[in-house]
Amino acid sequence: MHQVRTTCPYCGVGCGVVADVEDATLTTVSGDQDHPANYGRLCVKGSALHETLGEGGRLTRPRVDGVEVDWTTALDSVAQRLADTRREHGSHALAAYLSGQLLTEDYYVANKLFKGFLGTPHLDTNSRLCMASAVAGYKRAFGADAVPCSYEDLEEAELVVLVGSNLAWNHPVLYQRLRTAKTRNPLMRVVVIDPRVTDSCEIADLYLGLAPGSDARLFNGLLAFMAERKRLDRVYLAGHVDGVDEALAAAAEEDCSLEAIAADCDLDPEALQTFYYWFSSQLHVVTLYSQGINQSSSGTDKCNAIINCHLAGGKLGLPGAGPFSITGQPNAMGGREVGGLANQLAAHMDYDTPGALDRVRRFWSTETLTPTLPEAPGHKAFALFEAIERGEVQALWVMATNPAVSLPEANRIRAALAKCPLVIVSECMANTDLLAYADIVLPASSWAEKDGTVTNSERRISRQRGMLAPPGEARHDWWIIGQVAARLGYGEAFAYRHPGEIFDEHARLSGFENGRDAKAGFRLFDISGLAGLDREGYDALAPIQWPVNATAPSGTARLFEDGRFATPSGRARLLPVRPRGPSQALSEARPLRLNTGRVRDQWHTMSRTGRAPRLMNHRAEPFIEVHPDDALAAGVGDAQLARLKGADGDYLGRVRVAKGQRPGEVFVPMHWTDRFSKRARMGGLLKAHLDPLSGQPESKHGAVALTPLAPAWEATLLVADDLATTTAWCEDSRYWARIPLDHAERWQLAGGRAGEAPGDWLSRLGDWLPVAPTLWCEDPASGRLRAAGVADGRLRWWLMVGPPAELPGLGWLDACFAGHPLEEPARRRLLAGCDAGEADSGPLVCSCHQVGQQAIVAAIHGGDTSVEALGARLACGTQCGSCIPELKSLIEDALEEEACHARADQKLEKQTI
Ligand SMILES: Nc1nc2c(c(=O)[nH]1)N[C@H]1C(S)=C(S)[C@@H](COP(=O)(O)OP(=O)(O)OC[C@H]3O[C@@H](n4cnc5c(=O)[nH]c(N)nc54)[C@H](O)[C@@H]3O)O[C@H]1N2
Ligand SMILES: Nc1nc2c(c(=O)[nH]1)N[C@H]1C(S)=C(S)[C@@H](COP(=O)(O)OP(=O)(O)OC[C@H]3O[C@@H](n4cnc5c(=O)[nH]c(N)nc54)[C@H](O)[C@@H]3O)O[C@H]1N2
Ligand code: SF4
Ligand SMILES: [Mo]
């Protein structure tokens, strides 16, 4: 056995992982004690990494036009078809769509090939859907896309404001660090600003459940408040900042009384005033913002409204202070560094950076090759697909992202993809929604196989280290791109033998003609101090924060400490912000505001986390979170199936009536695809409303109608994995969701119109399942049925017709599929679905220790009324800590229930300070 230190491939926290490898298998993972992002912690997704590996489900052979081919044929085809398209339609007919989940080295090479040598500007990335507004906001204010803070600043702050960030679920290790810091510093305050009560509210001293999209008004109001109360740092502003008067004038265009702002944001004026006081009277403030800010048609302005307040109060460049945009993907930052956005060129140089085109051209030139760089920026993500729709872009290469799911108007995107003459997809998994549209499929190596670097949210570059051989013929992305480049005649510029050589080139470019005194001006992104590493040095590279150069050889924790910014004048800018509400209007036909986002245990389109059964337990099915009043008005009840009708399609999911949801707003997860459910893609609900500056789509403010699905029947079918190759049972069903278990697959099904029985559907069961029912028990009066098929003493399938609320905990049944013949007592218990005496544990709360809700509630009623007591009894919440907020709310709920219903209609406790 040996251990490899690497980096988690999920969120932007960028935790260090220690992987144990035994006989070419990754057996366990743990947090790297020495990694400065996590100091040994891992969240539930990180600690389940080894459960998502394995060759099953992986792409292992290249495919051209549906036929498996060898690599030579595949690479020849890619090069030939790209060259043909360019010859016939020009270089601007070529495009690439990349991802913040590529390693920096992959990203660098793709950017160099498309922008540098194929000569097309149309290379963009899914970071457009994620960080584009944050990038644009920083650039406007600081002159560079530079996150000023470090994670330590979060711990050192006296006030932490989480705006549009559900840190507890989406950056869990950072949340745990904040939580611990708060315990250590009782004076620290946390404010959560989010229309929805999230688990992050667990540590909130103040919760502001503002009206969706009203953040710019709130922060403009804060700026005006600071000015009025003489809380502006006039000395800092005079020394380091321009644009103060314009920004204040813009804020003053609207009524700046607390009452008016509170009314516009739909907040309690007193709560708003408390926040304003806290912010303006405290120097050590970190405002941490994410998709609730970025994913808006005025996201850039919202970012600047936040940054304005920090600049105006001199609250940055200090320990525990700064406007901190937290990145989502593991290498969202790396992509920004190499120039992966269509408006960027390379190494933090844009098309309009003076001299940049010439500089990059010279840098990329070889003895015999001169790059042909495009002169102006290309299409941003959504516009790129519109260009495909119009037939202007004829060839698209997609790497490590799934636009068929994650872009708004996803059905329109699918139609554009279907009509695009050449779609090349580099992907690790065999089964994604996008692959149906690919003419050429290239199997890519995945985490644990590939080598390279990623940059986390605090600008820290860490190594991902390969430890397993890629399955079948999967290859590294940088290698694939380099091979195609060579076939196109650019071999000399792409002669990399190892990602370390690419990193070296990237590091050299970052320092090329870059200096405060150089005529060329200076670029903040500079890792020239890491240039020249040999293989050993690259392999041993320890996590380090950029800039890394001669002046800062061991990296830089905090930017702008000297008050000097990356603008030509060296001064930061306040931006005048004129708040705009969501672009998507509500209407009588679609009266509810649609909010979309993430759940704790899933990652995006579930291509990896959907493979770990224990990660499916927390939220097993696509859902719709609804306020009780809206549920009542729409005639839908908790746990019933419902339909959302949106701009471009509809969405079917199970209702979760949630008191933390704002009235008039529903929330759906972004994760489900056609692989996992009949119709639960949020991308089909949203119309593309884009931020005019950043091009980022407004994914948080759609408009939908909610109606009950009202199926005649619901069924749960469990089938042994080898029988799940057909999915015939979902053909006629009005709703289905597929949920992988450890030893079987669970299918949640519903069909028929009100009044119909599942008779027809049931009568075909025999055609679908090769094993006849061995056990059958039916109650026609209530429409309930339970049946099971056993062959050779082994359980092959299990069926329950009836509401899923009647399901037993499925752990015991799942284990019955494990392969060993069933003993007689177990056979007798099959229809009951649980072992004699076994208590049903209910929905999973703690994924690490597999502790269910029922067990927790029972323990609370038994007197374990603290998180610590529950941990001591059941071990829940003692590993990664992600479920602690949920444990706390279970305790609260149970105690509240016990204390009778006297306080039942008291407004949410968390809303009070
Ligand atoms: N478990 C998990 N973690 C992840 C990911 C994942 O898929 N799963 N993905 C990663 C990626 S790529 C990203 S970008 C990050 C995203 O991390 P977050 O930004 O934290 O994630 P979201 O859930 O998309 O949205 C955050 C919050 O914005 C709120 N919001 C919606 N509208 C508004 C508004 O008008 N104002 C305010 N103030 N808030 C609003 C939503 O209610 C939601 O709680 O997560 C990363 N981490
Ligand atoms: N409505 C709504 N839409 C959203 C969002 C939202 O909050 N609401 N969030 C947006 C945000 S912030 C993001 S980041 C996007 C995410 O959306 P996507 O990027 O579309 O989602 P992923 O599932 O992460 O897609 C990554 C794909 O790359 C594959 N892959 C992983 N590693 C590699 C690799 O090394 N090489 C190759 N070639 N392939 C690899 C994975 O198997 C997977 O299929 O969604 C955006 N869309
Ligand atoms: S917080 Fe979790 S998902 Fe994010 S990097 Fe750390 S272990 Fe991975
Ligand atoms: Mo993201």
Side-chain angles (χ1 to χ4, degrees):
M1 190 184 93
H2 66 284
Q3 288 196 322
V4 180
R5 292 188 129 77
T6 184
T7 310
C8 175
Y10 294 123
C11 84
V13 179
C15 296
V17 172
V18 179
D20 297 325
V21 183
E22 205 173 342
D23 297 334
T25 308
L26 203 165
T27 51
T28 43
V29 291
S30 53
D32 183 346
Q33 303 284 348
D34 298 329
H35 198 290
N38 56 318
Y39 295 109
R41 297 175 182 86
L42 286 183
C43 78
V44 56
K45 291 185 301 303
S47 52
L49 267 169
H50 57 295
E51 296 163 41
T52 64
L53 306 177
E55 298 200 6
R58 286 292 297 276
L59 263 179
T60 53
R61 293 264 291 164
R63 270 201 317 265
V64 175
D65 299 328
V67 180
E68 286 196 349
V69 295
D70 57 28
W71 269 109
T72 307
T73 315
L75 295 166
D76 287 349
S77 303
V78 173
Q80 186 67 49
R81 292 188 195 187
L82 287 176
D84 289 350
T85 308
R86 182 171 54 169
R87 198 178 48 249
E88 283 168 39
H89 305 281
S91 58
H92 288 226
L94 309 178
Y97 186 54
L98 312 183
S99 158
Q101 290 165 75
L102 287 170
L103 302 181
T104 298
E105 292 75 1
D106 301 326
Y107 234 134
Y108 178 89
V109 177
N111 190 55
K112 181 175 174 183
L113 174 62
F114 275 81
K115 288 186 189 151
F117 288 86
L118 288 170
T120 175
H122 305 312
L123 174 140
D124 207 40
T125 140
N126 67 354
S127 285
R128 187 67 61 193
L129 318 178
C130 179
M131 303 314 305
S133 298
V135 172
Y138 277 143
K139 275 190 182 171
R140 288 204 298 183
F142 302 151
D145 170 21
V147 178
C149 312
S150 281
Y151 296 161
E152 273 175 14
D153 288 322
L154 212 59
E155 295 168 323
E156 290 177 23
E158 296 293 331
L159 173 65
V160 173
V161 189
L162 301 180
V163 199
S165 153
N166 183 6
L167 204 70
W169 279 11
N170 300 325
H171 300 92
V173 163
L174 200 50
Y175 177 78
Q176 290 306 326
R177 285 182 63 167
L178 176 62
R179 200 173 182 275
T180 310
K182 192 166 190 280
T183 324
R184 290 195 188 128
N185 174 10
L187 295 179
M188 181 198 270
R189 286 187 175 124
V190 174
V191 178
V192 172
I193 306 180
D194 191 311
R196 201 169 56 108
V197 177
T198 63
D199 270 12
S200 306
C201 293
E202 182 233 344
I203 53 166
D205 299 283
L206 176 68
Y207 165 67
L208 298 178
L210 83 180
S214 61
D215 303 80
R217 177 82 168 113
L218 186 139
F219 281 93
N220 255 8
L222 172 57
L223 185 66
F225 181 93
M226 289 164 70
E228 194 201 311
R229 307 287 163 120
K230 309 255 176 301
R231 293 293 185 165
L232 300 182
D233 186 338
R234 288 289 179 187
V235 175
Y236 189 82
L237 287 171
H240 308 291
V241 187
D242 289 332
V244 183
D245 295 340
E246 294 83 343
L248 285 172
E253 281 171 22
E254 285 181 286
D255 185 346
C256 286
S257 68
L258 272 169
E259 290 67 28
I261 301 165
D264 287 351
C265 301
D266 194 19
L267 290 169
D268 169 23
E270 264 185 46
L272 185 70
Q273 188 176 33
T274 304
F275 169 58
Y276 283 3
Y277 265 122
W278 286 358
F279 190 100
S280 47
S281 56
Q282 192 52 261
L283 185 60
H284 299 276
V285 185
V286 171
T287 305
L288 192 141
Y289 53 100
S290 187
Q291 300 313 337
I293 291 296
N294 298 349
Q295 288 173 342
S296 148
S297 61
S298 54
T300 308
D301 278 350
K302 286 177 181 166
C303 292
N304 285 110
I306 293 171
I307 298 170
N308 279 352
C309 295
H310 278 271
L311 284 170
K315 301 173 210 286
L316 82 168
L318 300 163
F324 195 166
S325 145
I326 181 108
T327 53
Q329 297 177 95
N331 201 28
M333 282 282 223
R336 287 147 71 170
E337 289 152 19
V338 302
L341 290 160
N343 47 309
Q344 303 173 326
L345 202 49
H348 270 212
M349 283 173 276
D350 290 346
Y351 288 89
D352 54 7
T353 311
L357 271 168
D358 176 57
R359 186 176 313 124
V360 176
R361 186 180 297 119
R362 279 185 285 116
F363 185 83
W364 278 344
S365 291
T366 64
E367 252 170 56
T368 61
L369 294 170
T370 312
T372 46
L373 289 160
E375 299 283 327
H379 296 308
K380 301 182 175 114
F382 193 79
L384 173 59
F385 285 85
E386 287 180 316
I388 294 172
E389 200 175 44
R390 291 193 302 272
E392 288 166 22
V393 166
Q394 299 258 330
L396 174 72
W397 191 344
V398 182
M399 301 178 203
T401 177
N402 194 340
V405 179
S406 53
L407 274 167
E409 298 184 42
N411 295 324
R412 187 175 155 204
I413 299 295
R414 288 176 182 224
L417 283 165
K419 111 173 218 218
C420 184
L422 175 59
V423 177
I424 304 160
V425 177
S426 297
E427 172 61 57
C428 314
M429 308 312 297
N431 205 356
T432 76
D433 285 11
L434 179 65
L435 288 173
Y437 301 90
D439 302 289
I440 301 182
V441 175
L442 305 171
S445 59
S446 176
W447 183 81
E449 295 149 17
K450 51 199 293 184
D451 270 289
T453 52
V454 289
T455 309
N456 75 0
S457 290
E458 53 166 5
R459 289 173 281 105
R460 191 181 297 281
I461 299 171
S462 297
R463 276 292 316 269
Q464 263 193 27
R465 295 186 177 88
M467 56 202 102
L468 306 176
E473 291 172 32
R475 295 282 184 275
H476 304 314
D477 288 297
W478 66 266
W479 180 88
I480 301 172
I481 302 159
Q483 290 294 310
V484 170
R487 281 164 171 78
L488 287 162
Y490 312 128
E492 202 177 81
F494 292 84
Y496 311 110
R497 289 158 304 171
H498 185 270
E501 296 174 0
I502 306 170
F503 184 79
D504 176 58
E505 185 178 310
H506 170 53
R508 282 190 290 112
L509 176 55
S510 76
F512 185 57
E513 298 177 1
N514 183 6
R516 278 177 192 246
D517 305 321
K519 211 166 58 204
F522 106 99
R523 311 186 300 274
L524 211 52
F525 175 67
D526 181 358
I527 53 166
S528 53
L530 299 176
L533 291 177
D534 57 10
R535 271 288 288 278
E536 263 177 26
Y538 179 70
D539 279 341
L541 182 66
I544 187 162
Q545 286 173 289
W546 65 257
V548 190
N549 52 21
T551 2
S554 36
T556 313
R558 192 172 303 110
L559 298 178
F560 313 130
E561 283 177 318
D562 57 358
R564 176 146 183 204
F565 294 85
T567 54
S569 64
R571 293 166 69 82
R573 301 182 200 107
L574 284 201
L575 270 295
V577 172
R578 295 183 174 80
R580 282 173 283 139
S583 296
Q584 176 67 60
L586 299 176
S587 65
E588 227 170 275
R590 293 192 280 124
L592 293 171
R593 198 38 93 205
L594 172 75
N595 182 2
T596 64
R598 291 155 171 80
V599 305
R600 194 189 71 194
D601 292 2
Q602 289 302 335
W603 178 261
H604 296 167
T605 66
M606 295 164 50
S607 67
R608 286 175 295 170
T609 42
R611 287 155 63 89
R614 78 173 155 115
L615 297 182
M616 293 295 301
N617 283 333
H618 177 239
R619 294 283 185 273
E621 286 179 86
F623 61 86
I624 306 169
E625 255 162 23
V626 193
H627 185 269
D629 294 351
D630 294 321
L632 199 66
V636 299
D638 191 45
Q640 288 179 357
L641 291 170
R643 178 193 303 275
L644 289 177
K645 208 168 165 26
D648 187 42
D650 50 6
Y651 172 106
L652 308 176
R654 204 170 287 285
V655 170
R656 293 173 59 90
V657 173
K659 55 185 178 176
Q661 193 63 43
R662 269 179 77 89
E665 196 188 26
V666 297
F667 176 84
V668 301
M670 64 167 295
H671 306 290
W672 271 265
T673 67
D674 292 351
R675 308 295 112 206
F676 288 93
S677 192
K678 180 173 176 111
R679 206 172 308 137
R681 285 187 282 112
M682 57 31 220
L685 291 172
L686 291 157
K687 191 128 190 76
H689 295 286
L690 309 175
D691 180 294
L693 296 163
S694 69
Q696 180 152 358
E698 182 161 274
S699 314
K700 294 282 185 266
H701 311 306
V704 289
L706 172 69
T707 49
L709 186 69
W713 53 268
E714 288 209 48
T716 307
L717 177 66
L718 269 50
V719 283
D721 281 333
D722 58 313
L723 296 188
T725 47
T726 158
T727 54
W729 42 80
C730 57
E731 267 159 30
D732 286 346
S733 51
R734 293 177 63 204
Y735 165 87
W736 60 262
R738 179 173 72 85
I739 306 150
L741 304 176
D742 280 325
H743 307 287
E745 264 194 8
R746 167 179 164 200
W747 289 76
Q748 224 30 74
L749 299 147
R753 311 276 149 191
E756 280 173 31
D760 253 9
W761 181 82
L762 273 176
S763 65
R764 276 172 286 147
L765 202 64
D767 302 336
W768 304 328
L769 295 165
V771 176
T774 352
L775 301 159
W776 189 281
C777 155
E778 200 173 350
D779 175 18
S782 67
R784 306 289 202 270
L785 177 152
R786 287 190 185 201
V790 179
D792 302 328
R794 291 181 165 82
L795 180 58
R796 309 294 290 145
W797 58 266
W798 183 93
L799 174 75
M800 179 189 98
V801 177
E806 293 175 9
L807 278 176
L810 294 176
W812 180 79
L813 272 174
D814 185 22
C816 290
F817 281 93
H820 43 80
L822 295 169
E823 305 288 335
E824 192 43 40
R827 276 176 82 116
R828 276 201 305 271
R829 303 284 317 160
L830 273 181
L831 291 190
C834 55
D835 205 357
E838 188 202 39
D840 179 4
S841 62
L844 203 73
V845 175
C846 170
S847 300
C848 298
H849 291 288
Q850 298 280 293
V851 188
Q853 186 175 322
Q854 306 286 19
I856 294 166
V857 172
I860 299 169
H861 286 309
D864 296 321
T865 54
S866 70
V867 169
E868 293 70 27
L870 287 172
R873 180 171 308 274
L874 302 168
C876 51
T878 54
Q879 191 165 319
C880 78
S882 307
C883 65
I884 290 175
E886 208 158 327
L887 294 177
K888 276 199 166 176
S889 55
L890 284 174
I891 295 171
E892 267 177 41
D893 288 352
L895 293 183
E896 193 167 340
E897 199 187 320
E898 274 179 16
C900 200
H901 305 289
R903 292 180 302 141
D905 46 16
Q906 205 176 42
K907 256 233 157 161
L908 206 67
E909 274 170 281
K910 284 167 182 158
Q911 273 176 331
T912 56
I913 304 155

